Amino acid sequence: MGWFMASIGFFSGLISAALFAGGLNAAEIKLGGTGGDLGTMRLIAKAYMAQNPETEVVVYPSLGSGGGIRAVIAGAIDLSISSRPLKDKERTAGVADFAYGKTALVVATVADQQLKDLSLRRLVDIYAKRDTTWPNGRRIRLVLRPLNDGDTKLVEDQVEGMAMAFRAADRPGATIGRTDQDAADALERRPDSIGILSLSLILGENRPLRSLALNGVAPTVEALSVDRYPLTKTFYMVTKAAMGVGARRFVDFIRSPVGRDILIRTGHVPSE
């Protein structure tokens, strides 16, 4: 409840600040949304500002996909990252979206426990508590995301049996990362833990986490580009249906050779 109220307070403050500013600073672009790609967007923003020093791109901490969409609708931010496409009722509120890149959802850990590869079947067994130890005999500790989180739903849709396995793991006392960054922080603190994150978060934020191969396939841009890696996630950029000049220029920069190169370096297959 404390996290929820803090999120509401942050979101309300964001709207108030935007209304107070009243659009006076035309050389500022505000961006937020889901945490899985904020690191990448900070790198793109830095490159954009190097070429456009008169413009400041402000990248806010994680608002979640839904929170970011609401912030764009309210006029609090100009652009938002989403891990899902817009719903019909959101489109009628004057916003639009486009896919800009696909990344991998990876099983991440800081552990060096001689485990380099997991089958999807074993992944289900680990979360279902049927397989509980590393090769050295130490207990595997799970870092979960909320059951209603977008990444949780994506994994459930792509891996048979994961819906029941997630619910088996979601017990009292379980470690749950409320945001992507919370989950990554928890994984870094617990050497025997594993959790599911986007590859783009690990690379975009230069996290000291390693990704396990799944079904013998490492999560690389090359594997993603030929649909060999089994767990994927598409990111969308949400904008006002009628974008301002600054937002339009930043969107064009994401699609430019410089923007696409940053996307590739941070684990994306850029959208055409």
Side-chain angles (χ1 to χ4, degrees):
M1 180 61 74
W3 170 86
F4 179 72
M5 295 305 294
S7 298
I8 291 176
F10 179 79
F11 181 63
S12 299
L14 192 60
I15 294 175
S16 298
L19 293 175
F20 178 77
L24 294 178
N25 186 0
E28 185 176 69
I29 301 167
K30 300 183 181 73
L31 187 151
T34 186
D37 227 18
L38 290 175
T40 295
M41 283 301 146
R42 289 190 181 99
L43 295 175
I44 293 177
K46 182 179 179 180
Y48 181 85
M49 289 186 288
Q51 293 188 14
N52 302 272
E54 75 285 355
T55 302
E56 181 180 7
V57 182
V58 180
V59 181
Y60 289 101
S62 178
L63 297 169
S65 292
I69 292 168
R70 291 191 294 273
V72 174
I73 291 171
I77 60 177
D78 304 292
L79 302 165
S80 185
I81 312 160
S82 177
S83 59
R84 62 169 176 83
L86 290 171
K87 300 174 182 177
D88 289 342
K89 64 180 180 181
E90 291 166 338
R91 295 183 192 280
T92 62
V95 290
D97 65 344
F98 65 90
Y100 67 82
K102 178 174 70 174
T103 192
L105 283 170
V106 303
V107 181
T109 182
V110 292
D112 185 13
Q113 303 283 8
Q114 301 177 341
L115 182 63
K116 311 298 182 185
D117 183 15
L118 282 178
S119 68
L120 292 179
R121 183 69 262 166
R122 187 175 182 189
L123 180 65
V124 173
D125 286 344
I126 288 172
Y127 276 84
K129 302 290 188 176
R130 293 189 290 266
D131 186 342
T132 60
T133 58
W134 292 97
N136 65 358
R138 293 181 67 88
R139 179 185 171 193
I140 298 174
R141 300 181 183 275
L142 299 176
V143 174
L144 307 175
R145 299 301 308 281
L147 292 179
N148 63 352
D149 181 77
D151 283 3
T152 301
K153 299 297 185 184
L154 284 172
V155 176
E156 290 176 354
D157 289 343
Q158 296 177 73
V159 182
E160 183 179 358
M162 279 304 293
M164 291 184 65
F166 279 141
R167 281 151 183 78
D170 189 28
R171 299 173 178 176
T175 301
I176 299 176
R178 297 295 175 182
T179 69
D180 297 88
Q181 283 69 33
D182 289 342
D185 290 344
L187 286 167
E188 290 176 17
R189 290 193 300 266
R190 301 176 70 111
D192 295 328
S193 64
I194 63 170
I196 298 174
L197 295 173
S198 61
L199 177 64
S200 60
L201 182 150
I202 295 172
L203 298 180
E205 298 184 9
N206 196 27
R207 293 273 185 168
L209 294 166
R210 67 183 185 92
S211 306
L212 305 183
L214 288 178
N215 284 354
V217 181
T220 64
V221 170
E222 292 74 21
L224 285 166
S225 66
V226 294
D227 297 323
R228 289 187 62 233
Y229 186 77
L231 275 179
T232 63
K233 175 179 182 176
T234 298
F235 286 111
Y236 301 83
M237 188 63 71
V238 178
T239 75
K240 283 288 190 182
M243 268 189 283
V245 173
R248 168 58 66 187
R249 288 176 177 169
F250 187 76
V251 165
D252 289 343
F253 187 77
I254 294 172
R255 293 166 164 162
S256 74
V258 174
R260 291 173 66 86
D261 179 65
I262 294 171
L263 288 174
I264 292 168
R265 286 193 286 109
T266 54
H268 303 74
V269 177
S271 300
E272 297 299 329

